Amino acid sequence: MAATNSSAFLSAFQRLRLCTSTSLRQFRAPVLRQSKTLEAARRLNVRAFSTTSPVFGTWLEPSLNRKKKMAKGRPRVATGGSTKGTTVIWGDYGIRMTDHHRRISAKHLKMAEDTIKVRLRGEKYRLYKRKCCNVGVYVSGNEMRMGKGKGSFDHWATRMAVSQVLFEIKGRIHEQIVRDAFRLAGNKLPGQWEFVKKGDAPVVGITRLDGVTLEDLKRPRRQIAPAELLAASSPTAVTEAGSTSDASRSP
């Protein structure tokens, strides 16, 4: 009986030897998985991890403190030679403001987004939002109570400058369908809007750079005559105060 137990114990002990193949498989799988992730990140030009803390919130309601009063301000219109935000970057088509800069509330932006999604239902596309609501609008103190000062928080809004793109669309959609969707969205938004494509000329303020360069805009409007013409031109006679000219002396 003792010999049987010892032989069984010895055979069980021999089965506990290390197996190199299984251990290598177990260690190799996570390494391969990590390398695939790094390759995909390099391909997309995105960092695999970030040391900055994630920012929560949406493009319609950011994670900012509502109790902290902030100035509403006015949108900055780029007139000094900047064309930032006036062209289509990621998509194929876009909608751009044409008339005047203003603040647009999150409610209007949500209505415009829902209008585009309803019109393009069933289509394969991707919608890009170029603006986010990061300005808190507060009710004026005189509207709610007697006295001066800011009132309570009312809604979120965004500053929309003239000639800036608000929405972009990319996908296998006909141009006329996208035009109709942006037309309906523009009816829900304040102001006037236009349809733009990728590759259209940028805009500086209200000046479209179609055949005009930034150097031409920065060049002075007043054209100075060349030095040769100025030297060749004869100087004009100057009459001093209190003196009479030859024409006045002659009868």
Side-chain angles (χ1 to χ4, degrees), residues 11-140:
S11 62
F13 183 75
Q14 288 177 352
R15 285 196 211 102
L16 293 177
R17 60 188 177 179
L18 295 175
C19 183
T20 57
S21 61
T22 57
S23 61
L24 284 176
R25 281 177 198 161
Q26 292 175 358
F27 284 115
R28 205 176 290 166
V31 174
L32 289 174
R33 241 181 258 125
Q34 186 179 4
S35 64
K36 289 180 181 178
T37 307
L38 290 174
E39 276 181 27
R42 285 195 202 98
R43 231 176 269 142
L44 296 173
N45 197 11
V46 179
R47 293 184 297 174
F49 62 91
S50 177
T51 57
T52 57
S53 59
V55 179
F56 298 100
T58 62
W59 72 294
L60 295 173
E61 186 175 0
S63 58
L64 299 176
N65 187 11
R66 295 188 176 187
K67 296 182 180 180
K68 185 178 180 181
K69 309 295 183 180
M70 61 181 70
K72 291 182 292 186
R74 291 184 179 180
R76 295 182 179 178
V77 181
T79 57
S82 175
T83 59
K84 183 178 180 182
T86 61
T87 56
V88 179
I89 298 177
W90 301 299
D92 299 326
Y93 310 103
I95 179 172
R96 182 166 63 186
M97 179 177 282
T98 58
D99 59 340
H100 197 269
H101 61 276
R102 54 174 54 83
R103 283 194 323 271
I104 302 179
S105 63
K107 183 179 179 181
H108 285 100
L109 294 179
K110 181 62 177 174
M111 289 172 60
E113 183 191 13
D114 293 342
T115 304
I116 293 174
K117 289 183 177 180
V118 169
R119 180 62 183 86
L120 301 180
R121 184 175 294 168
E123 303 285 347
K124 293 183 178 180
Y125 67 95
R126 184 171 181 179
L127 183 65
Y128 297 93
K129 298 101 172 176
R130 296 286 298 271
K131 305 294 288 186
C132 64
C133 296
N134 55 357
V135 181
V137 180
Y138 295 80
V139 181
S140 178

Side-chain angles (χ1 to χ4, degrees), residues 2 6 18 98 113 141 147 151 154-155 175 186 188 210 234 247-248:
S6 62
L18 295 175
T98 58
E113 183 191 13
D154 191 35
H155 63 273
E175 180 182 341
K188 303 291 183 181
D210 192 3
S234 59
S248 60

Side-chain angles (χ1 to χ4, degrees), residues 196-212:
V196 290
K197 301 180 185 178
K198 190 168 187 178
D200 286 357
V203 182
V204 176
I206 58 175
T207 305
R208 196 185 306 271
L209 298 183
D210 192 3
V212 183

Side-chain angles (χ1 to χ4, degrees), residues 179-236:
R179 280 180 180 271
D180 191 30
F182 282 155
R183 178 185 62 82
L184 296 174
N187 294 337
K188 303 291 183 181
L189 294 169
Q192 297 179 3
W193 304 81
E194 67 174 350
F195 179 81
V196 290
K197 301 180 185 178
K198 190 168 187 178
D200 286 357
V203 182
V204 176
I206 58 175
T207 305
R208 196 185 306 271
L209 298 183
D210 192 3
V212 183
T213 61
L214 288 176
E215 288 74 15
D216 296 337
L217 290 179
K218 295 177 182 179
R219 198 172 298 162
R221 300 276 180 95
R222 182 181 175 185
Q223 294 183 358
I224 302 174
E228 294 80 6
L229 284 176
L230 293 176
S233 61
S234 59
T236 57

